Amino acid sequence: VAQIVAGIDVGNSTTEVALAETGKSPDDVRFLSTSRVPTTGIKGTLSNLPGILYALKDAADAAGIKMDQLNLALLNEATPVIGDIAMETITETIITESTMIGHNPNSPGGLGIGVGHTIHIRDLVSAKRGEPVIVVIPYEYDFDLSASMIGQAIENGVDVQGGIVQSDDGNLITNRLPKPLPFVDEVSQIDHVPMNMLAAVEVADRGQVIRQLSNPYGLATLFSLTPEETSMVIPISKALIGLRSAVVIRTPEGDVKTRRIPAGTLKLIGKSQSISVELDGGADAIMEGRAEIGELVDVEGEPGTNVGGMVERVRGTMAEVTGKGVKEVKIRDILAVDCLVPQHVSGGLAQEFSMENAVGLAAMVSTDRLLMQQLARALTDEIHVPVELGGVEADNAVVGTLTTPGIATPLAILDLGAGSTDAALLNKDHSVKSMHLAGAGDMVTMLIQRELGIGGQGAFDVAEQIKKYPLAKVESLFHIRNEDNTVQFFPDPLDPKLFGTVALVTETGLVPIDTNHNLDRIREVRREAKRRVFLRNSIRALEDVAPLGNIRNIDFVAIVGGSGMDFELSEMLVKKLAEFGTVVGTANIRGELGPINAVATGLLLNYAKRTGTVRKDVE
Amino acid sequence: MADPKDRPSILISLERGVSEDAWEWVSYGAEEEGVPCRLEEDATGSDTVEQAYNASTLSRFGIGIGIGSSEIVLHEAHMPKGTPVLRRSLRDGNALEVCRMFGHNAARMVTQRPLLLQPVGSNDVAVGDGGNKNTRAQQKKHEPETQVPEIPEIKKEVTTVTQETVKEGDRFDTEDVAPDEIKRAVSAVIRNLRERGVL
């Protein structure tokens, strides 16, 4: 007798359903419809129910059947892992006295470098002849007035060397002076600039960057610093590298230092040994330790340090999700990634940033089967249809992937999800070996968000969008230049708000990104994040499942899951894995669905195989 | 040097009878961005939009500004005649700041930088300091996410960031009196000092 069965796959980010009619024989499977909706809640918890119902209804509607015509629902035994991520900076720049304005206004005025004592513009009249000064111009003094006052002072013999301006008037002032002088403008916190202190102002030409103030010896020359003092100003120079204009003010008590935050040690506990790794050593040291230890039993962070806090936070989240005690949550894998993140310099005047070292950590913990059984029971109550757990996720995924045309065993599948990277290998003898690693899509999103310094509420969503969509620069009201340099024209004028911005090219149109970064920088950060997480983990996962640990022993690799739809990932993976002589590509489930619905499809196929065989035996 | 008429410039059409100050402030905006601009008397029109459009078609950059007694309009030569890039009323009390903003924006059309949607030069918001404003705009953008019925979490996936219209002009009306007054006061002091021969 034919029956209608639903295969349900609850993933970290999406819930997928396949509906099929199964008959007597294992091959008698007629697929009716599929659906895909975002997962509600964290996978493997009761909060998934709304998403599952939504997906089931979608699929039933698409197949033209009622929910009560369903005979059975099969739930995947979800990959028993969930991941979490955390990031901490390990260096920090602190300026104990306000001593620096490193600033990239859009249009600083003038050109060159000026050194003198800071003086408020209203005190210019009382400045001594021949005295080198840097004029401080608050907002109340407009450019006409400022320029005439400075011009007057110059005529009176005051040696005006440059200026610091609160409003965006740098060019307007310098254009009205008898000689061009460097003016740094748009300094919002101008009232924090100390008066009568030795200061240096530097403005570089368009397309250039400052050289003197970003060079420790340059600063030493301008301020006559001793070697000891020179070593103290390194953080200032570091923070000013790559800017078009800057001001450095020397205050007597001024003190700048890079503080290395005690990042702590990470203890990796293996089956037979444990290794302690200094977080200071960066991601590579951690990953070397991780490789050395083999199978990981748990991870501990040194209490009272950054890493201790990070590990505990992950453990806390996981405990909350799984309903286990904090002590019972065991971290089974970690992925560490180095990055440079822009951090506010404490003590700066114009919201200066300094690029600080940070380590991002993704962790994965095991959940248990009990939770899935709870979910299956709850689902039965809800839809009044028997729900079964349909076997291990990896087995189903591999079977589903085998429906891709042109594929054969030994086949490895790579599922780069949101929380974890999963790989499974199907051998010729149909045994399946699977592997779950920490770090995937969410980690990439976090890296993008932190490295680009996207702040505010919804920052993670913005980063998520950057991960998903290619970029374009809006060059006119009628055309954009895509990141691959192709130009696209529009018949109707674009919104003026888009003009000049870097925007994401989405299905629903152009979405501008609120950032001062240019297109190339955003693209580089995005691709680098994918490389460091997706590529590194793919290799790690494939080496784990490959016969004899050699990727060359795998003939076919197929990318499944949502990551298979990423617009650049499969191309990056293909390039990387080409060196192993393996066929790599994005799966095309049932020859039509692309990389999605592998598990749901596999659930149905495996079920048909099981029941069909049984019935045949009975007959 | 070629005839100044032949030099690429942003062209500005000033309606007869409108104060020269308006065009001067436009030119300050363009100057700060480093792009030349000048008045073009040949660009006329029956309304400010047409003035701006005609100025843009005469401009080698294809960028024109029309200043009327009640509004200012930024136009680009490729745009449909009746669809200017930006237009703002000049009756909100901060007319000169708005003029300067249009100068900045006309220049930014040439240099391909994002346009300013608020006048420049309030005490706490500097131009380059886009960070602050933007974060606020971003927060705004994401607010609607929470008001979804049934299955709230589903939103996370399907949200596309939609740019909400930035409310223009509702922040500066009360603040911009002060700088002018200060300017007047300071000029008076300077004048006095000059008269007394101190300066």
Side-chain angles (χ1 to χ4, degrees):
Chain A
V1 191
Q3 52 174 343
I4 296 177
V5 185
I8 306 166
D9 169 29
V10 182
N12 267 311
S13 65
T14 58
T15 298
E16 296 170 3
V17 166
L19 279 186
E21 205 170 34
T22 60
K24 278 184 185 155
S25 82
D27 305 322
D28 194 1
V29 180
R30 196 165 66 84
F31 284 99
L32 300 172
S33 65
T34 56
S35 69
R36 183 171 188 250
V37 306
T39 296
T40 51
I42 292 185
K43 110 172 180 187
T45 60
L46 289 181
S47 57
N48 299 153
L49 268 184
I52 296 177
L53 292 174
Y54 202 74
L56 272 175
K57 203 179 160 320
D58 258 15
D61 286 352
I65 61 164
K66 295 237 152 42
M67 287 279 267
D68 54 18
Q69 285 176 263
L70 262 185
N71 299 100
L72 179 70
L74 298 164
L75 199 57
N76 72 313
E77 218 166 280
T79 320
V81 294
I82 26 184
D84 195 14
I85 43 180
M87 179 179 284
E88 285 293 350
T89 46
I90 53 182
T91 56
E92 184 183 23
T93 300
I94 299 166
I95 305 176
T96 46
E97 280 280 306
S98 299
T99 44
M100 166 185 86
I101 304 170
H103 192 35
N104 240 3
N106 295 317
S107 47
L111 191 62
I113 185 156
V115 184
H117 281 84
T118 48
I119 183 170
H120 194 287
I121 187 162
R122 67 165 176 254
D123 300 327
L124 260 186
V125 282
S126 52
K128 286 191 213 76
R129 286 177 68 90
E131 185 188 335
V133 293
I134 299 288
V135 191
V136 178
I137 308 169
Y139 172 73
E140 302 86 68
Y141 294 78
D142 77 9
F143 59 91
D144 245 348
L145 180 60
S146 310
S148 73
M149 289 171 80
I150 295 167
Q152 191 70 49
I154 293 175
E155 229 169 80
N156 290 347
V158 179
D159 182 9
V160 178
Q161 288 268 329
I164 308 169
V165 190
Q166 189 171 19
S167 50
D168 183 16
D169 284 347
N171 269 321
L172 289 165
I173 294 173
T174 196
N175 285 351
R176 281 159 181 72
L177 294 180
K179 58 177 177 179
L181 293 171
F183 281 86
V184 171
D185 59 5
E186 295 176 55
V187 176
S188 43
Q189 318 248 352
I190 199 144
D191 42 332
H192 291 270
V193 174
M195 295 300 156
N196 204 23
M197 294 293 165
L198 193 59
V201 177
E202 183 174 6
V203 174
D205 207 349
R206 279 160 204 271
Q208 304 275 319
V209 293
I210 54 167
R211 298 191 193 287
Q212 191 98 356
L213 298 187
S214 58
N215 171 8
Y217 301 121
L219 282 176
T221 315
L222 294 174
F223 292 124
S224 332
L225 302 179
T226 64
E228 290 78 35
E229 287 168 327
T230 307
S231 66
M232 300 239 301
V233 299
I234 289 173
I236 298 188
S237 293
K238 197 184 91 185
L240 296 181
I241 289 171
L243 300 181
R244 225 197 108 192
S245 66
V247 178
V248 174
I249 303 160
R250 191 178 186 211
T251 51
E253 307 83 10
D255 182 16
V256 182
K257 58 189 173 205
T258 302
R259 190 163 70 120
R260 226 169 155 79
I261 304 161
T265 57
L266 199 62
K267 192 173 172 198
L268 307 171
I269 304 166
K271 278 230 160 103
S272 51
Q273 53 165 343
S274 57
I275 300 176
S276 284
V277 193
E278 293 280 340
L279 202 61
D280 281 350
D284 285 341
I286 299 173
M287 293 319 285
E288 267 167 39
R290 171 70 192 90
E292 205 176 309
I293 204 97
E295 191 179 331
L296 196 62
V297 175
D298 198 10
V299 172
E300 283 171 10
E302 189 182 335
T305 63
N306 268 342
V307 66
M310 263 159 99
V311 172
E312 282 324 300
R313 212 158 39 239
V314 169
R315 221 186 280 279
T317 319
M318 292 297 119
E320 213 171 281
V321 168
T322 56
K324 287 184 181 178
V326 175
K327 287 262 181 295
E328 291 162 63
V329 175
K330 302 289 181 205
I331 296 175
R332 305 307 301 269
D333 185 45
I334 52 164
L335 173 71
V337 176
D338 279 328
C339 45
L340 274 179
V341 298
Q343 289 284 101
H344 268 296
V345 174
S346 356
L349 289 183
Q351 286 133 30
E352 291 89 350
F353 285 100
S354 170
M355 298 304 280
E356 306 286 354
N357 297 306
V359 173
L361 208 58
M364 182 199 74
V365 303
S366 299
T367 60
D368 50 54
R369 194 160 180 248
L370 246 146
L371 287 164
M372 290 313 287
Q373 283 165 345
Q374 272 175 19
L375 186 60
R377 264 201 299 279
L379 186 59
T380 308
D381 292 347
E382 200 69 39
I383 60 175
H384 309 295
V385 170
V387 180
E388 283 178 15
L389 290 186
V392 179
E393 175 166 312
D395 297 3
N396 290 315
V398 174
V399 169
T401 309
L402 268 180
T403 60
T404 298
I407 229 166
T409 54
L411 158 72
I413 58 166
L414 265 181
D415 182 357
L416 306 151
S420 65
T421 301
D422 307 328
L425 180 78
L426 179 67
N427 284 308
K428 282 214 166 77
D429 60 1
H430 285 267
S431 61
V432 175
K433 185 181 179 192
S434 66
M435 187 69 214
H436 312 292
L437 297 176
D442 284 347
M443 179 87 164
V444 173
T445 307
M446 180 182 75
L447 288 177
I448 293 174
Q449 187 222 324
R450 298 296 300 270
E451 291 215 313
L452 291 178
I454 303 169
Q457 240 180 348
F460 202 77
D461 288 347
V462 175
E464 182 83 15
Q465 304 255 331
I466 293 177
K467 180 179 80 178
K468 278 190 189 158
Y469 297 106
L471 300 161
K473 161 103 174 164
V474 183
E475 292 195 331
S476 84
L477 291 164
F478 290 92
H479 82 277
I480 61 172
R481 186 174 295 273
N482 291 304
E483 61 175 61
D484 63 357
N485 251 336
T486 54
V487 172
Q488 190 179 344
F489 285 89
F490 296 90
D492 299 314
L494 298 164
D495 188 335
K497 282 203 247 348
L498 286 168
F499 181 86
T501 58
V502 176
L504 297 165
V505 186
T506 74
E507 304 89 4
T508 50
L510 295 169
V511 178
I513 310 173
D514 273 327
T515 170
N516 287 329
H517 296 291
N518 63 22
L519 184 145
D520 291 338
R521 166 83 181 138
I522 301 172
R523 179 170 190 265
E524 180 58 31
V525 165
R526 183 193 74 214
R527 289 180 68 93
E528 193 50 39
K530 288 182 182 175
R531 228 172 269 137
R532 281 183 295 183
V533 177
F534 283 148
L535 285 197
R536 181 169 202 164
N537 255 358
S538 299
I539 301 292
R540 220 156 57 100
L542 288 177
E543 275 172 354
D544 267 330
V545 296
L548 308 171
N550 190 344
I551 298 179
R552 286 176 191 284
N553 295 334
I554 307 173
D555 290 352
F556 297 92
V557 175
I559 306 160
V560 300
S563 55
M565 306 213 281
D566 187 288
F567 66 98
E568 60 191 345
L569 178 61
S570 61
E571 159 231 337
M572 289 165 83
L573 269 172
V574 169
K575 269 191 196 150
K576 181 73 192 171
L577 292 178
E579 60 193 73
F580 298 101
T582 322
V583 181
V584 192
T586 308
N588 191 12
I589 312 295
R590 291 192 245 145
E592 57 175 348
L593 293 177
I596 56 169
N597 215 274
V599 176
T601 299
L603 275 167
L604 295 174
L605 292 174
N606 268 334
Y607 171 76
K609 205 158 87 187
R610 280 200 307 270
T611 54
T613 320
V614 173
R615 279 195 201 113
K616 242 181 209 159
D617 293 349
V618 176
E619 280 167 28
Chain B
M1 194 84 193
D3 182 348
K5 287 243 172 198
D6 284 340
R7 279 169 61 193
S9 306
I10 295 161
L11 296 188
I12 296 158
S13 161
L14 190 66
E15 190 184 307
R16 199 181 296 269
V18 176
S19 152
E20 294 267 324
D21 282 357
W23 111 258
E24 260 178 33
W25 278 70
V26 170
S27 77
Y28 297 152
E31 181 183 345
E32 179 62 25
E33 302 278 340
V35 179
C37 74
R38 63 175 171 83
L39 267 183
E40 174 57 62
E41 276 156 19
D42 293 345
T44 53
S46 54
D47 60 20
T48 317
V49 172
E50 197 181 328
Q51 267 175 265
Y53 181 77
N54 289 340
S56 76
T57 54
L58 289 173
S59 159
R60 297 233 165 161
F61 287 138
I63 312 283
I65 286 179
I67 311 171
S69 50
S70 62
E71 69 168 342
I72 182 164
V73 175
L74 170 63
H75 223 311
E76 202 253 1
H78 302 92
M79 292 292 274
K81 197 170 180 176
T83 317
V85 180
L86 287 178
R87 66 195 292 182
R88 277 288 280 273
S89 162
L90 290 177
R91 288 185 167 154
D92 292 341
N94 56 347
L96 295 181
E97 277 80 7
V98 170
C99 286
R100 181 165 168 183
M101 174 184 106
F102 270 69
H104 275 278
N105 283 341
R108 284 166 176 234
M109 294 286 297
V110 178
T111 56
Q112 286 187 2
R113 295 192 31 228
L115 307 183
L116 301 169
L117 300 170
Q118 312 240 13
V120 200
S122 121
N123 259 331
D124 53 354
V125 183
V127 192
D129 189 18
N132 281 341
K133 279 179 285 180
N134 293 347
T135 358
R136 242 173 276 148
Q138 267 176 16
Q139 287 169 359
K140 242 185 178 178
K141 267 184 259 171
H142 289 272
E143 266 167 28
E145 274 176 46
T146 45
Q147 335 163 334
V148 179
E150 285 178 355
I151 311 161
E153 289 93 328
I154 278 188
K155 295 308 298 164
K156 191 181 160 205
E157 266 284 311
V158 291
T159 320
T160 30
V161 187
T162 48
Q163 179 86 353
E164 227 177 63
T165 320
V166 179
K167 276 247 172 88
E168 294 177 12
D170 44 5
R171 309 193 35 197
F172 292 83
D173 312 64
T174 49
E175 293 173 18
D176 49 327
V177 194
D180 271 7
E181 267 174 18
I182 291 162
K183 184 189 165 186
R184 258 195 300 281
V186 175
S187 329
V189 172
I190 301 263
R191 217 171 19 247
N192 275 330
L193 288 174
R194 283 212 178 111
E195 279 162 15
R196 286 184 218 159
V198 180
L199 262 176

